[in-house]
Each structure stands twice: as structure tokens, then as C-alpha cells.
Amino acid sequence: MSATTLGIIGTGMVGAGVARRAVDAGLNVVLSNSRGPGTLAGLVAELGGAARAATPAEAASAGDLLLAAVPLATYERLPRAALEGKTVIDPMNYVPSYFPVPELDSNELTSSELVQRHLAGARVIKALHNIGPKHLLELFRPAGAPDRTALPLSGDDPQAKEEVAGLLDVLGFDAVDLGPLSDSWRSEPNTPLYALPYVGQPPSGLTPADFVAWVQQAPGTPVGAARIRELAATTVRGPAGFRF
């Protein structure tokens, strides 16, 4: 891929995990959050010379690709003007109990369509939302490896999807195109593609909170592109979002 700098807005578990994998894969990263560059000194020091801290608008300007790793509840705070013309990866997931949105509850829109509507001048691609940062750091493999893991992506712009597929390849993963943003529900919470392919079957009887904790510590399980396509094709749309 031609991109050499990944701009990251949001440095929670997802943003920091992707940053670690990106730096290890040879990319530069520009990190930002809502609290200011000074709060990122520790993470930048850990990542080394390929990383620097900036404001969200500066990260948007510097990045060849952008990762908007913020809670969906704060998507309207993304720097819309600075993201104009950019390819923006959306790893956000809908949690109705935190941030109810009637258009999502009715399945009128997917969460990524909501983000795309706000970022009208950007090219939003749903990706990196259904795998945890632990497994992103465990399951990467070189191109052609027989146990290379595949990740789904969805988007309305073919060129932007190619760019994000190229990034996933650099990070050590194959990409499976699930179609437009309107079909991104196929890999969202409450579907067979969300988290479970990469960790295996959880113990029975877990509460939602216990399930999240189990997923976050479970060993990674490689899963190839054929299995991702199979699960996407057979899933049935249900209530949107991760429901505790």
C-alpha cells in the first residue's frame, strides 16, 4: 500500500492496539485524543520514533489513512472539516444502553451509515471493529501464510476499500469485502462474525460483562477468508448493537 502514516483519533484499547501493530508493521502513526497531546507521552515513548502525538485535526491532516477509534456516542465530535477527502476507518460499535439512537434501533441505518452521514466529505470504511486488540496483536501473519486470519470490511467507495484492505494486509491480515455500509451489520455485535471467530466458543452461562472479560483474555484463534464469507452470508439481521 502507498500509505505510510496512520492517523489515529482516540487512544483507548482499540486505538492503542492498532497503533502498536502498525508501528511493528513499519508504519508511522500520529496519535490523538480528546485530552490533548501531552496525555499521550507515555504511549508515544512506548511506541518509539515512528509515533508522535497531535491534536485530532492534526492527526487527520497528517494521516494517509485515519482510524476514528472513539466511542460511537462521541462521533459528532470528530473533526469533520479536517477529515474532508480522507478515508476514515470506523471501528465503532453501537451500545444502545450508553447512547440510544432510534435510527439504529429500527435498523433504518447501520452505525457506519450514521458516521458517514456526519462525515459527508470523507470515505468511511467499517473495519477493525469485530476483533479485540489482544487478538490483533496475536493473529497477524505474513501474506500467504496458511493460517492467516481475515477481517471483514464494508464501505461505499471502492478505492477507499482497496486502501483499507491494503492497510490490513500490511498489518498482517486478509480482507473480506462485505459490500456497502448498509450491509455492515453483518459483522456487528449480535452476529456470528463479532469477536467469536477469533476466540472460539465461550463457556456457557456467562453474563454479558463476564463474556466481555472472557473475550478480552481468550487465546486467539486464526480464521480464514472462506469462513468469514460463510458466516457473513448466513447471518440474519437482529437488534442492532451490543446489548448488556
Side-chain angles (χ1 to χ4, degrees):
M1 62 175 292
S2 59
T4 58
T5 299
L6 178 64
I8 299 178
I9 301 173
T11 52
M13 290 178 62
V14 173
V18 173
R20 291 185 178 97
R21 176 81 282 272
V23 167
D24 286 346
L27 299 177
N28 298 313
V29 296
V30 180
L31 302 160
S32 66
N33 62 20
S34 61
R35 301 181 303 280
T39 66
L40 295 170
L43 181 57
V44 168
E46 174 193 335
L47 293 173
R52 66 180 177 91
T55 67
E58 289 167 344
S61 177
D64 298 298
L65 289 171
L66 276 299
L67 177 75
V70 301
L72 184 64
T74 66
Y75 80 95
E76 291 183 316
R77 300 180 200 168
L78 291 168
R80 180 161 50 181
L83 292 170
E84 185 89 17
K86 295 285 188 172
T87 295
V88 179
I89 301 166
D90 166 22
M92 295 175 256
N93 286 306
Y94 180 44
V95 183
S97 60
Y98 294 164
F99 177 61
V101 180
E103 290 171 298
L104 303 186
D105 292 333
S106 67
N107 286 335
E108 179 182 343
L109 294 175
T110 64
S111 62
S112 288
E113 287 180 298
L114 188 72
V115 174
Q116 178 66 86
R117 187 171 69 184
H118 176 65
L119 300 178
R123 300 177 296 273
V124 173
I125 303 296
K126 187 74 168 184
L128 294 169
H129 60 290
N130 72 321
I131 185 171
K134 176 179 186 290
H135 308 107
L136 192 74
L137 297 171
E138 288 181 357
L139 293 176
F140 67 91
R141 301 287 190 276
D147 62 343
R148 202 182 207 210
T149 286
L151 300 176
L153 59 79
S154 305
D156 297 336
D157 185 286
Q159 180 181 346
K161 285 198 279 192
E162 288 183 8
E163 292 172 2
V164 175
L167 173 67
L168 295 180
D169 182 50
V170 169
L171 297 182
F173 298 87
D174 289 336
V176 174
D177 186 349
L178 300 189
L181 292 179
S182 59
D183 281 345
S184 60
W185 61 268
R186 294 182 180 276
S187 58
E188 290 183 345
N190 293 332
T191 72
L193 269 181
Y194 186 75
L196 290 180
Y198 309 106
V199 294
Q201 196 61 32
S204 60
L206 295 181
T207 67
D210 288 341
F211 169 77
V212 171
W214 179 84
V215 166
Q216 289 176 346
Q217 59 80 39
T221 300
V223 55
R227 181 59 174 160
I228 296 298
R229 292 189 188 98
E230 178 185 0
L231 291 171
T234 57
T235 191
V236 175
R237 193 170 192 175
F242 191 86
R243 295 172 184 266
F244 290 93

